[in-house]
């Protein structure tokens, strides 16, 4: 599975959009981009995934660049409850390999 | 989304005893479940892949005789930490993938184990 690079931490004001970047320059054609988040002391939560096209669901939007070498997770209106570690994972097989992720702090 | 439960949510045990953790998919059947371990301030590390009706597949460095995994039904996988020691104290998390969505894993709330 391709390696991903994410910023260590980010801050976001409550009510504003949170844009979390992820680089995956070695991604191959059959690998999907998955995003999960983990709120402190809880199990991770699935957010969204995509292959080539941009995706949107009730939680977030996923923007994947045309060359697929990077993506951005967008939380349109961040709340304090969105404070968590966000993991960008690229996978082709069944297993998920978690990196260090991005600590997102939403501040009032 | 799909719901995965774990029991117990936390356990304290004496060194040398065995501890069993259950992972259940409540509203879907899962032929594959996964067990992770997470130490404080670290990311999740996959321990093993649990396959219904067959032997689990362990990641490199994980002792299969110490961490016994049983996946006897399509909704239940168990992890038994045998002869637990203080260094086994950790946050154990399971996950399961619904049919047709192999990359989408739904995680349990985790089990915090403290070995004294």
């Amino acid at each position: 599975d391709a390696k991903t690079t994410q910023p260590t931490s980010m801050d976001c004001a409550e009510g504003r959009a949170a844009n979390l970047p992820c680089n995956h320059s070695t991604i191959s054609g059959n690998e999907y981009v998955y995003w999960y988040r983990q709120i402190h002391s809880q199990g991770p939560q699935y957010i969204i995934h995509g292959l080539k096209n941009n995706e949107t669901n009730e939680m977030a939007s996923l923007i994947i660049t045309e060359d697929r070498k990077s993506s951005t997770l967008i939380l349109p209106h961040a709340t304090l409850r969105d404070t968590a570690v966000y993991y960008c994972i690229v996978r082709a097989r069944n297993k998920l390999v978690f990196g260090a992720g991005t600590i997102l702090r939403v501040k009032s | 989304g799909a719901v995965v439960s774990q029991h117990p949510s936390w356990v304290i045990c004496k060194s040398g005893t065995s501890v069993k953790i259950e992972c259940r998919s409540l509203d879907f059947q899962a032929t594959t479940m996964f067990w992770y371990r997470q130490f404080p301030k670290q990311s999740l590390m996959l321990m093993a892949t649990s396959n219904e009706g067959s032997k689990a597949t362990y990641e490199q460095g994980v002792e299969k005789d110490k961490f016994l995994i049983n996946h006897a039904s399509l909704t239940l996988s168990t992890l038994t930490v045998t002869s637990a020691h203080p260094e086994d104290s950790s946050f154990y998390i399971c996950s399961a993938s619904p049919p047709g969505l192999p990359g989408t894993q739904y995680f349990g709330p985790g089990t915090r184990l403290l070995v004294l």
Side-chain angles (χ1 to χ4, degrees):
Chain A
D1 296 332
K3 179 180 171 58
T4 63
T5 303
Q6 299 178 251
T8 303
S9 65
M10 294 180 65
D11 290 340
C12 176
E14 188 179 20
R16 304 298 293 269
N19 298 289
L20 292 94
C22 179
N23 285 325
H24 30 79
S25 58
T26 60
I27 193 170
S28 60
N30 62 342
E31 290 183 313
Y32 286 77
V33 179
Y34 282 79
W35 283 84
Y36 288 79
R37 72 179 182 184
Q38 185 177 26
I39 296 170
H40 184 60
S41 295
Q42 297 183 23
Q45 177 187 23
Y46 165 79
I47 301 174
I48 200 168
H49 75 279
L51 181 62
K52 295 180 183 178
N53 300 321
N54 298 336
E55 302 288 339
T56 296
N57 62 20
E58 64 278 4
M59 287 184 68
S61 295
L62 174 60
I63 308 298
I64 303 173
T65 58
E66 193 168 341
D67 62 8
R68 302 210 324 124
K69 293 186 177 182
S70 65
S71 61
T72 301
L73 178 74
I74 302 173
L75 307 179
H77 304 287
T79 70
L80 298 178
R81 287 178 295 180
D82 292 322
T83 292
V85 180
Y86 286 76
Y87 298 99
C88 169
I89 301 169
V90 171
R91 66 159 289 276
R93 297 168 294 142
N94 212 14
K95 295 193 294 188
L96 296 177
V97 178
F98 285 81
T102 295
I103 300 170
L104 175 68
R105 300 184 189 91
V106 180
K107 300 185 175 182
S108 57
Chain B
V3 179
V4 175
S5 71
Q6 278 183 247
H7 178 80
S9 55
W10 59 270
V11 58
I12 302 173
C13 69
K14 292 182 179 180
S15 186
T17 61
S18 294
V19 175
K20 180 186 283 188
I21 302 170
E22 292 186 348
C23 177
R24 293 181 187 271
S25 54
L26 297 185
D27 50 2
F28 65 96
Q29 294 182 330
T31 55
T32 304
M33 291 184 173
F34 303 86
W35 287 96
Y36 296 81
R37 180 168 53 180
Q38 185 174 33
F39 292 107
K41 298 188 187 257
Q42 295 185 21
S43 189
L44 284 79
M45 289 188 58
L46 179 64
M47 299 175 66
T49 302
S50 169
N51 302 296
E52 189 267 337
S54 64
K55 292 183 179 180
T57 303
Y58 291 82
E59 294 299 302
Q60 192 172 8
V62 178
E63 301 175 56
K64 63 180 181 181
D65 295 330
K66 180 168 183 63
F67 298 100
L68 302 179
I69 291 172
N70 183 278
H71 193 156
S73 79
L74 288 172
T75 59
L76 173 64
S77 175
T78 60
L79 169 68
T80 301
V81 183
T82 62
S83 186
H85 287 90
E87 58 266 29
D88 298 322
S89 298
S90 189
F91 191 45
Y92 292 87
I93 310 168
C94 72
S95 71
S97 292
L101 297 172
T104 303
Q105 293 184 19
Y106 292 96
F107 287 80
T111 297
R112 197 162 297 281
L113 170 64
L114 177 61
V115 185
L116 301 176

